[in-house]
Structure formats: structure tokens, C-alpha cells
């Protein structure tokens, strides 16, 4: 599994050259591989020594056992070795009768507890001895106070382990893992979240990139807390110091002192640690790879120089986004995005040398311009790689599936998995031509973006920073596009909004020039964004650019936790916005946007609500795959029921009507008698179902007007108009008292809420709209529960 992405464990990406983590206390001059190898050689030599030599070594760290309660804590030779030790003189074995320079008791008095100890246990203790000596050197060489303190604590821990002949156990308030999900699981989730739709070969390449990233973090040398305070003075210093201490104790020092338990960084740390190192690590890796690109092997060159920087850019957005689903512990249970989870997509390789990479050219430098933030990139077309074995559904996945409530009419997961096995094979999915009637509107644009023909950037003017010439040129280009495509809009007005620092524009760049864009203003406090201008130059239209632009804008806003669009569309733009998911049914409460956006004469206010679980730039690809699954299922069903039955002759004999279920073969097609709804006979089951539905309704954002009975002071004359009032609080009380013995009583009360609202309030009121939206939601839940036919 670890090699399924076509990368051998322990093999560097560009040979042996490059940064290697420094050994503790070595000041960065000794490589990790060299330091640990040198210690391993010493341990092997000492373990192969004769037993008297081993006893001499252990006696130095053993307290005196002679009678009289001697307080000497270690045997000291009468002739101590020179410092530094000389290699030209052969080492001689000391007799067990030689007295200690400190307490005058013999060496044998210090090692009496080792007489019956096995050779294996003695070798283990000798390994700890060499680790103690190495840490002692580290303590004296280390200049950083925080690091020195950790080394000294570990030194005392190992020294105590030798005296007590125990195993070193770190005493800490928390034990690994320190954060869930781990870095490794988060990257697994990222691959699933962003790239599950790709063909098998491209997905394997993504997995290889992910393994490179995980391997690099496992070997990354964290900067000391004091260094970080100088670089990022306003950061969470206490939190970073805690993680740095844990990293030294559990990940870094155990690389060289193998008597301590060792963990992979990616398996015990999570998002917090990634955030603290990602930016610096990415910059240094790309800079180093740029300098060493000539050392790259040919088979890795395209992967590292082209695709890995794009992979890091996409991952960076998810690392620093506050709403990214990949860091949710419920991701594997299918709670994020509704995607089919894949467990253990990648595993970080064990101890290996680090990997190195190189950047791709960056068209916009965010550090030199104003309010510039590149839009979320989609996956690029990657070079094919060796395809590993197909993954089998893991047991945890099946367990989660078994826990989910089954809905009437659900397709068995076994059948879904069987069909998916054919769909995920690229040879089994028919490719649609870009000019085909079955191709998605944005398919051509998506292909052009993957080939680098077009780019998307969110740009804006800034009054606080020095203007970036490229950004200013693009803003001028956007002003020209909007002016030509929106002739009814004053040019001065367009210019003012495009260059207004409060507005941003998602620009579409082709061959270095602007060919389209969407100008918008975000209102984070109100929870919506107003789209001001949207246009693509006339000679580049009918290519799907408009759809792809809007999809990028949707993903950009999901990343910024804004899930509603509002715009005034003229008669020519209404059709476009409807295709993009806009409607005249505004979900944003009127009080939220009145006074914030400008009214336009002759235009229609339209809104769009975003779903944070949908990857919009790849939505058409997902729909295409779903269609293929449905098509396969239909073909299988047809093959099962494709049987010709003899025609009915009863009508010739005078029969006027027969039950549908009596027609031969009708039930085999899956047909069921149509009924008004299924009444649950079990009172407890009915109570549980109605309670769940009522909880969903009360949690809906449009339920707020109906939570409690209407107050006379807030609605004068309400009870003269409404003879039978009803509200969700009253329904909850009735449900607790077991009033709803049938589903019809429950549905009648709920319907009365909506009917009363529409009877008392005018159609243009906020309450009227809430009633309509909540009614639709209620009947959706009723259908899902199987209480009425879908």
C-alpha cells in the first residue's frame, strides 16, 4: 500500500543532495543519517564486546550495592580515559576487583544486580548508556535555552532508566496523538476531497505528491521557539513551544536515541503544527529545488517542477481555511461533502531521506500587490504513473455504512461498489467531445485551465500598498471589458467600482490579457456578497467561460465563509444567472441587505445560496460520473427484467378493469402500489420519526417566525383573523404528550402553521417567504421518512 503511488520508500526525489535534518546538539553540521549511523555503529561494537567490558560500561551508571549504605551513584575508574579519547591505544578491560575512585568499593559491588541479567537485557541497557552519553554532549553543545532544557530532561530520564533497569517512559500530561485528525489523515482527506473524481492514473500521481509532502514533514527541522518569536512576534508562542517540546521528545531525538519511543510527526500532530511550518517549509523547499533542478532525475522532473507546486498551493488553502472539511473528524463518516470516503489513501513512508521539489512560475505575487488572492485552482492534468492495485473497501467504511439508517428504495452498497469499479476505469467511461451535446457548459473552459491556456485571479485595487503594474493593467482591461459588454452602464460608474478598494474582481486571463470577469463586493458581517458586473468579451463567449467563472467565484466564497450571492440582473442576464443556480426566491432576510446594495431600475433581484460541500469547479464532472452510474444501474435492471410476456386477453372477454399488480411482470420491474402514505403502526417508531422531523424543522434557518405563539402586541388583530393558531412550540408540547397518534394529525398541525402565515401576511413579506421555504423543507423530510410517497 505504501508503494502504490509508484514511489519507493526511502528514495529521495533528486538524489542524495539537499537539506537533511540536523542531529540534536550538532549545530546543524551533522546530518541525520550520519549522526544516527555513527551511534548505531558504536552500539553494535559495544554489544559485541566481552561481558566484563559491558559490566565496566554499565558500572559507570550503577549505584554502589556494598554494605554500609554507600551513596556512590556510579563506578569511577582510577585511570580515567583521556579527553578526547585516543584511538591509537587499545582499550583494556578492567577487573571487577578494581576499586572505585570515589567510594573505594570494587566494580563488582556496583554491578551485583547484573549477575543474572540476560545478554539481551544487558544490550538494551548498553544502548541507553550510549544515548545518555550522546545527550550529555548535546546539552553542552546546544546554545538554545529551550532545546537545551529538553535535552537535559531526556538525559535525566534515560539516566534514571539505567539505574532502575526500566524502560524510558516520558511523563507528560498528554500522550500522542496530540491533535485529531492527524496531518496524515488530513492529507488523506484532502486527496479524497479534491481529487477523487480524477481518472485512476492521475489520482495515483496525486497520491505520490501527497506521500512526498508527508515524508518531508516527517523530516522537517522545526525552528526553535526563540527563532520563531523573532520571525513571527505576534504568534501563539506558548502553543508553538508546547508543540516544539513534544516534537523534540517524540519525533526528533528518538531518531538518534532509539531507546526512546519514536513517532512520525504526521501521525501525532495535526493542523496546528502544519499551520506553523507550512509557509516557511514551502518557500525553502521550492527555493532549494530551483537551485538544484539540474540534479533531478528525468522521471521526476515534470512531477516535481510542475505539479508539486500546484498541489502545495491547493493544500495551503485548506490548511489556512477556517471552514475546510478535511480537518473534520466526521469526514470519514461521509459528513463532509457527501463523498464516498476512502480510508488510508496514503501512508507516510517510514524513516527515509527527505524529498525535494521545485516551483512553477507564479503569475501574481501576492506579497507585492494590494488585495490580491488567487482563486482556488482545480487539479491539473498530470502525467501518467504506474497504477497500483485497486483499493478494497475497508472494514471501517463498511461499519459506518451499516450504522446509517436505510431509506426505502436505497440501492445496496454492494451494487454501488460493483458499478463504481467499472466507472472508475477510464476505459469504461466514454469520453464526450467538447462540441458534443452531452458535454457540460464548462468542460471546454476546464480543459483550457488544466492546460494553462486560461487563468483565474481575484484582484483588487489598494490604497495602502504600492500598486502592482500587472494588477493595474488587468483592472484597466476589466474596465474595458465591462464597458463594451454593458453599454447601458455609465463608464464612469464602472471605473469607480472596478478601482474601488472595497470591490474585488475575479478576472479571467487568457494569453496574458483580460477577457472576462466578475466584479463583486463582500459583506461578511451580513453574510452575503453583491455581484456588480459579470461579463466575458464577445469574441470569447459560448465557450463555457461564464459558467467556469461563476464556479470559481463560488469556491472562493465558500473558502471565505460567505454562502449567499445577491445581484440585480437585467432582462438579458436573467437566463445566465438561472443556469448558475440563481433564482428570484431570495434566501437572505431582507433586513440583511436593505441599505447595503443599490437598487437598479428595470432589473430583477436574484439570489443564490451556496452549498459548502460541493466542489463547484468539478461539479459537472461529478454529475457526469453519477449519470454513468445511473446508466449502468438501468442497464443491469433492464437485463434482469427483459422478458416478454403474452398479451392480456381478459379485455376481449368483457373485463373492464383489472388491478395493476395482476399484470404479468409488473412487480418484477420494481413497481409498488401507489398509496397516500405509510402509516407507522408502532407508536414508539412513529413518535421517534415525528420527533426527528420536528427537530429538523425547528433547526431550519427559516423557522424563526414560527417558534412560539404569536403575541398580540406584535401582531394586532391576529387572533381575529386566525381562528386556529398553531406554532412549533405547541407542536413540541403535543408531541411530548403523545397527542399525535397518526401522521395525519402531525401533518395537519404543521400545514396549519403555513396556511395561517399566508393568510395573515402579504405575499411580499418576509414571513410569507419563510413559510414557503419551510413548507418545502418539511415535505422533503416527510418524504425522506417514508410517511408520504415521493
Amino acid at each position: 500500500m505504501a508503494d502504490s503511488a509508484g514511489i519507493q520508500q526511502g528514495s529521495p526525489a533528486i538524489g542524495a543532495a539537499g537539506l537533511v535534518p540536523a542531529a540534536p546538539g550538532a549545530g546543524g553540521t551533522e546530518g541525520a543519517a550520519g549522526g544516527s549511523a555513527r551511534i548505531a555503529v558504536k552500539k553494535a561494537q559495544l554489544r559485541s564486546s566481552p561481558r566484563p567490558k559491558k559490566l565496566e560500561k554499565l558500572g559507570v551508571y550503577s549505584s554502589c550495592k556494598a554494605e554500609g549504605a554507600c551513596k556512590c551513584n556510579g563506578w569511577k575508574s582510577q585511570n580515567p580515559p583521556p579527553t578526547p579519547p585516543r584511538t591509537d591505544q587499545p582499550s583494556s578491560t578492567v577487573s571487577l576487583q578494581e576499586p572505585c575512585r570515589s567510594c573505594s568499593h570494587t566494580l563488582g559491588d556496583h554491578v551485583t544486580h547484573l549477575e543474572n541479567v540476560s545478554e539481551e537485557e544487558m544490550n538494551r541497557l548498553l544502548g541507553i548508556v550510549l544515548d545518555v552519553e550522546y545527550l550529555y554532549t548535546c546539552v553542552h553543545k546546544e546554545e538554545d535555552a529551550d532545546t537545551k532544557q529538553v535535552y537535559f530532561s531526556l538525559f535525566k530520564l534515560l539516566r534514571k532508566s539505567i539505574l532502575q533497569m526500566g524502560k524510558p517512559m516520558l511523563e507528560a500530561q498528554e500522550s500522542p496523538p496530540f491533535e485529531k485528525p492527524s496531518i496524515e489523515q488530513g492529507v488523506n482527506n484532502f486527496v479524497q476531497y479534491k481529487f477523487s473524481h480524477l481518472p485512476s492514473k492521475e489520482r495515483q500521481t496525486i497520491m505520490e505528491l501527497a506521500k512526498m509532502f508527508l515524508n518531508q514533514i516527517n523530516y522537517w527541522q522545526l525552528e526553535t521557539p526563540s527563532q520563531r518569536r523573532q520571525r513571527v512576534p505576534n504568534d501563539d508562542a506558548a502553543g508553538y513551544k508546547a508543540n516544539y517540546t513534544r516534537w523534540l521528545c517524540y519525533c526528533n531525538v528518538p531518531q538518534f536515541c532509539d531507546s526512546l519511543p519514536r513517532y512520525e510527526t504526521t501521525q501525532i500532530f495535526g493542523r496546528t503544527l502544519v499551520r506553523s511550518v507550512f509557509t516557511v517549509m514551502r518557500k525553502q523547499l521550492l527555493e532549494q529545488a530551483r537551485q538544484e533542478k539540474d540534479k533531478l532525475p528525468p522521471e521526476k522532473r515534470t512531477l516535481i517542477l510542475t505539479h508539486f507546486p500546484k498541489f502545495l498551493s491547493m493544500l495551503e488553502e485548506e490548511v489556512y481555511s477556517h471552514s475546510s472539511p478535511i480537518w473534520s473528524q466526521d469526514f470519514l463518516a461521509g459528513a463532509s461533502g457527501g463523498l464516498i470516503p476512502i480510508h488510508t489513501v496514503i501512508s507516510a513512508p517510514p524513516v527515509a531521506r527527505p524529498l525535494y521539489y521545485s516551483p512553477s512560475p507564479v503569475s501574481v505575487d501576492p506579497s507585492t500587490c494590494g488585495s490580491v488572492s488567487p482563486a482556488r485552482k482545480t487539479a491539473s492534468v498530470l502525467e501518467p504513473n504506474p497504477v497500483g492495485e485497486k483499493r478494497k473497501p475497508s472494514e471501517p467504511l463498511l461499519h459506518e455504512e451499516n450504522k446509517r439508517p436505510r431509506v426505502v428504495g436505497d440501492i445496496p452498497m454492494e451494487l454501488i461498489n460493483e458499478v463504481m469499479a467499472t466507472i472508475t476505469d477510464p476505459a469504461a467511461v466514454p469520453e464526450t467531445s467538447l462540441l458534443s451535446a452531452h458535454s457540460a457548459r464548462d468542460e471546454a473552459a476546464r480543459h483550457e485551465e488544466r492546460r494553462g491556456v486560461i487563468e483565474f485571479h481575484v484582484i483588487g485595487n489598494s490604497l495602502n500598498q504600492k500598486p502592482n503594474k500587472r494588477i493595474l493593467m488587468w483592472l484597466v482591461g476589466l474596465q474595458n471589458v465591462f464597458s463594451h459588454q454593458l453599454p447601458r452602464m455609465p463608464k464612469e460608474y464602472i471605473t469607480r467600482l472596478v478601482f474601488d478598494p472595497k470591490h474585488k474582481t475575479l478576472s479571467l486571463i487568457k494569453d496574458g490579457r483580460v477577457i472576462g470577469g466578475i466584479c463583486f463586493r463582500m459583506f461578511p458581517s451580513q453574510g452575503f456578497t453583491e455581484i456588480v458586473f459579470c461579463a466575458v468579451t464577445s469574441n470569447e463567449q459560448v465557450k463555457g467561460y461564464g459558467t467556469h467563472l461563476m464556479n470559481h467565484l463560488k469556491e472562493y466564497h465558500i473558502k471565505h465563509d460567505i454562502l449567499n450571492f445577491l445581484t440585480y440582473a437585467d432582462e438579458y442576464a436573467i437566463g445566465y444567472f438561472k443556469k448558475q443556480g440563481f433564482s428570484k426566491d431570495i434566501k437572505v432576510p431582507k433586513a440583511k441587505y436593505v441599505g447595503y446594495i443599490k437598487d437598479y431600475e428595470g432589473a430583477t433581484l436574484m439570489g443564490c445560496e451556496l452549498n459548502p460541500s460541493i466542489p463547484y469547479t468539478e461539479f459537472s464532472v461529478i454529475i457526469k460520473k453519477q449519470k454513468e452510474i445511473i446508466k449502468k444501474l438501468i442497464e443491469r435492471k433492464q437485463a434482469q427484467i427483459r422478458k416478454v410476456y403474452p398479451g392480456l386477453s381478459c379485455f376481449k372477454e368483457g373485463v373492464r378493469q383489472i388491478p395493476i399488480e395482476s399484470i404479468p411482470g409488473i412487480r418484477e420491474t420494481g413497481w409498488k402500489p401507489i398509496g397516500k402514505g405509510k402509516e407507522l403502526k408502532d407508536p414508539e417508531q412513529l413518535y421517534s420519526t415525528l420527533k426527528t422531523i420536528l427537530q429538523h424543522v425547528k433547526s431550519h434557518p427559516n423557522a424563526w417566525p414560527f417558534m412560539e405563539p404569536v403575541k398580540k402586541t406584535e401582531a394586532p388583530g391576529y387572533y381575529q383573523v386566525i381562528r386556529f393558531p398553531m406554532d412549533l412550540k405547541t407542536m413540541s408540547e403535543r408531541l411530548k404528550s403523545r397527542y399525535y397518534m397518526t401522521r395525519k394529525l402531525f401533518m395537519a398541525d404543521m400545514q396549519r402553521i403555513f396556511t395561517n402565515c399566508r393568510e395573515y401576511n402579504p405575499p411580499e413579506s418576509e414571513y410569507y417567504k419563510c413559510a414557503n421555504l419551510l413548507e418545502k423543507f418539511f415535505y422533503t423530510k416527510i418524504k425522506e421518512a417514508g410517511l408520504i410517497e415521493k
Side-chain angles (χ1 to χ4, degrees), residues 63-66 96 104-113:
S63 58
C64 184
K65 311 294 188 304
L96 293 177
S104 301
H105 293 114
T106 64
L107 171 61
D109 290 331
H110 284 77
V111 296
T112 53
H113 63 293

Side-chain angles (χ1 to χ4, degrees), residues 572 718 761:
Y572 303 106
Y718 181 83
N761 298 287

Side-chain angles (χ1 to χ4, degrees), residues 251-321:
C251 303
N252 183 257
V253 175
Q255 288 188 52
F256 315 94
C257 302
D258 59 8
S259 53
L260 291 168
R262 178 172 181 246
Y263 298 84
E264 297 287 1
T265 305
T266 54
Q267 293 177 352
I268 65 173
F269 291 99
R271 184 183 195 177
T272 305
L273 185 73
V274 175
R275 282 184 165 183
S276 64
V277 304
F278 192 96
T279 305
V280 175
M281 184 177 75
R282 180 172 179 264
K283 181 180 179 180
Q284 291 185 14
L285 288 177
L286 298 183
E287 177 62 30
Q288 182 191 12
R290 186 184 296 113
Q291 297 173 0
E292 301 182 359
K293 59 183 179 181
D294 295 334
K295 300 178 183 179
L296 286 169
E299 65 273 10
K300 295 289 183 183
R301 189 163 296 156
T302 302
L303 180 70
I304 296 171
L305 296 181
T306 304
H307 304 311
F308 193 69
K310 296 179 181 179
F311 175 88
L312 286 179
S313 296
M314 296 180 69
L315 180 57
E316 185 173 23
E317 291 187 1
E318 303 303 322
V319 167
Y320 293 105
S321 170

Side-chain angles (χ1 to χ4, degrees), residues 302-352:
T302 302
L303 180 70
I304 296 171
L305 296 181
T306 304
H307 304 311
F308 193 69
K310 296 179 181 179
F311 175 88
L312 286 179
S313 296
M314 296 180 69
L315 180 57
E316 185 173 23
E317 291 187 1
E318 303 303 322
V319 167
Y320 293 105
S321 170
H322 295 289
S323 59
S324 174
I326 72 171
W327 302 106
S328 169
Q329 294 193 47
D330 297 329
F331 185 90
L332 291 180
S336 298
L339 299 172
I340 299 175
I342 298 178
H343 292 255
T344 322
V345 178
I346 316 119
S347 287
V351 180

Side-chain angles (χ1 to χ4, degrees), residues 688-707:
S688 176
T689 303
L690 298 182
K691 182 180 179 182
T692 302
I693 294 173
L694 188 58
Q695 287 175 343
H696 282 300
V697 171
K698 291 170 69 175
S699 301
H700 195 272
N702 291 300
W704 58 271
F706 317 110
M707 296 299 291

Side-chain angles (χ1 to χ4, degrees), residues 42 68 96 108 301 356 389 424-425 451 525 611:
K42 281 190 173 183
L96 293 177
R301 189 163 296 156
Y356 306 96
E389 297 180 0
T424 52
D425 182 5
R451 297 199 308 270
S525 62
N611 186 331

